[in-house]
Amino acid sequence: MRSPVTGIVTLILLLIAAVIAYSSVFTVDQTEQALVVRLGDPVDVVTDAGLHFKAPFIDTVIPVDKRILDLENPSQEVIASDQKRLVVDAFARYRIKNALRFYQSVGSIQAANIQLTTLLNASLRRVLGEVTFIQVVRDEREALMARIRDQLDKEADAYGIQVVDVRIRRADLPEQNSQAVYQRMQTERQREAAEFRAQGAQKAQEIKSNADRESTVIVAEANSTAEQVRGEGDGERNRLFAEAYGKDPDFFAFYRSMTAYENGLKNGDTRFLLQPDSDFFKYFGSPSGKPQAAPGIAAASPAAPKP
């Protein structure tokens, strides 16, 4: 029969073997790489995901993230080459390409972020300080971000880090400078608007003056033509009257008297201050307009011809 001591020893050995076996393996996730450290000294870097072996109890496994990591940089004030102050808000993307160098230089992602922030700010000041404000905000923004990324990547290589991308989210004037620029732009636009209004008023005055001048010329020409036509009409009328007078002077005198009666005897006012024997009333006494002989007086006979 097996003694109880033997069973206990066997159980203890099995437990020790299980602990040793558990301490001899480790797993690496797909998003990580592992650094194996033995008594403080790095001995291996594992980049493949899966189950791996290590020396039990003396080896320590340090996981290191191999994904692309974010670096959010706080806004910094940078002076461009034209002495314009800029508030630059930038960020970077990086990954750990050498876990051993990363562990030996910075040791953790938090420490790496601090170091990269310092390097990024220095690179921003160095690159943007060589160009003008217009080049930063409009003309060469893409090229400048590429230069900053290359410089930061070169400096970060000493820490086992590869900089994937650097982007300038915002590059603008400080708030007080922006307000001054907006005020200056507003003043300039108001000046341009006033200039346009003045030019419009001047153009309107020129158009109005030309229209008035043309209107005056047209009216004067029309009046001249009217006077000419009226004069021709009056001349033609006088000619016709002269012809009529030459053909029948009595009728012409009668017509003139009738016209004078029509113009003088208005409705409601027929008063005249004239002598009764005036020529104006000669047709009132006789239709022929000739004076009538006094009663009892015979008309004078024509004189007999002299022998």
Side-chain angles (χ1 to χ4, degrees):
M1 292 180 62
R2 181 181 299 178
S3 63
V5 175
T6 303
I8 293 172
V9 172
T10 303
L11 181 59
I12 293 173
L13 292 176
L14 290 175
L15 291 174
I16 292 173
V19 172
I20 293 174
Y22 181 77
S23 300
S24 299
V25 297
F26 65 95
T27 58
V28 178
D29 190 77
Q30 292 181 350
T31 61
E32 297 178 341
Q33 54 188 329
L35 178 64
V36 181
V37 179
R38 180 174 300 166
L39 300 177
D41 295 328
V43 294
D44 192 15
V45 177
V46 181
T47 58
D48 297 330
L51 184 65
H52 299 273
F53 295 94
K54 65 180 180 66
F57 304 115
I58 60 175
D59 286 350
T60 303
V61 178
I62 301 175
V64 179
D65 203 327
K66 66 177 181 181
R67 295 173 294 181
I68 294 178
L69 304 175
D70 298 334
L71 176 64
E72 293 292 337
N73 191 50
S75 299
Q76 300 291 324
E77 189 172 287
V78 180
I79 300 178
S81 62
D82 54 358
Q83 302 305 311
K84 294 289 184 62
R85 293 183 176 272
L86 297 174
V87 176
V88 180
D89 183 7
F91 65 90
R93 299 290 183 264
Y94 71 95
R95 66 182 184 87
I96 301 171
K97 67 177 182 178
N98 191 323
L100 177 58
R101 190 181 302 171
F102 176 82
Y103 176 75
Q104 291 175 338
S105 58
V106 290
S108 66
I109 293 178
Q110 290 78 11
N113 286 340
I114 295 174
Q115 188 64 33
L116 286 177
T117 298
T118 303
L119 296 177
L120 178 58
N121 290 335
S123 182
L124 284 171
R125 296 178 186 279
R126 185 165 52 249
V127 173
L128 300 185
E130 297 174 355
V131 295
T132 63
F133 170 75
I134 298 299
Q135 289 175 305
V136 175
V137 301
R138 187 187 65 187
D139 296 343
E140 301 180 9
R141 190 159 182 163
E142 291 291 336
L144 294 174
M145 290 189 294
R147 286 179 56 189
I148 296 171
R149 180 199 61 205
D150 294 341
Q151 289 190 12
L152 183 60
D153 180 59
K154 184 177 180 180
E155 295 175 346
D157 184 68
Y159 305 100
I161 295 174
Q162 178 187 6
V163 178
V164 178
D165 194 15
V166 172
R167 292 286 167 178
I168 297 176
R169 184 183 291 112
R170 183 177 70 92
D172 203 353
L173 295 171
E175 183 63 26
Q176 59 273 20
N177 292 16
S178 299
Q179 293 298 329
V181 171
Y182 294 152
Q183 185 66 32
R184 186 163 59 250
M185 292 173 61
Q186 182 180 11
T187 303
E188 181 66 18
R189 295 299 177 270
Q190 291 175 349
R191 185 192 64 78
E192 293 179 357
E195 182 177 354
F196 290 151
R197 282 194 293 267
Q199 292 176 355
Q202 181 181 359
K203 192 66 176 179
Q205 186 63 34
E206 291 177 357
I207 294 174
K208 184 178 179 181
S209 299
N210 292 335
D212 292 341
R213 182 172 61 254
E214 292 178 359
S215 174
T216 302
V217 172
I218 292 173
V219 171
E221 292 178 351
N223 290 333
S224 176
T225 303
E227 292 295 333
Q228 182 178 356
V229 173
R230 187 179 294 109
E232 293 175 354
D234 291 342
E236 183 65 17
R237 184 191 64 178
N238 294 334
R239 186 184 65 79
L240 294 176
F241 281 165
E243 291 180 358
Y245 181 78
K247 293 180 179 180
D248 192 350
D250 293 337
F251 175 77
F252 186 74
F254 175 75
Y255 176 78
R256 290 185 60 186
S257 296
M258 293 299 104
T259 303
Y261 293 158
E262 181 181 4
N263 294 331
L265 299 175
K266 301 295 183 181
N267 186 19
D269 187 9
T270 59
R271 292 173 297 176
F272 286 95
L273 185 59
L274 296 173
Q275 294 181 0
D277 57 352
S278 172
D279 288 341
F280 186 78
F281 296 109
K282 64 184 179 178
Y283 287 101
F284 279 81
S286 173
S288 64
K290 296 179 179 180
Q292 297 179 357
I297 300 177
S301 60
K306 293 182 180 182

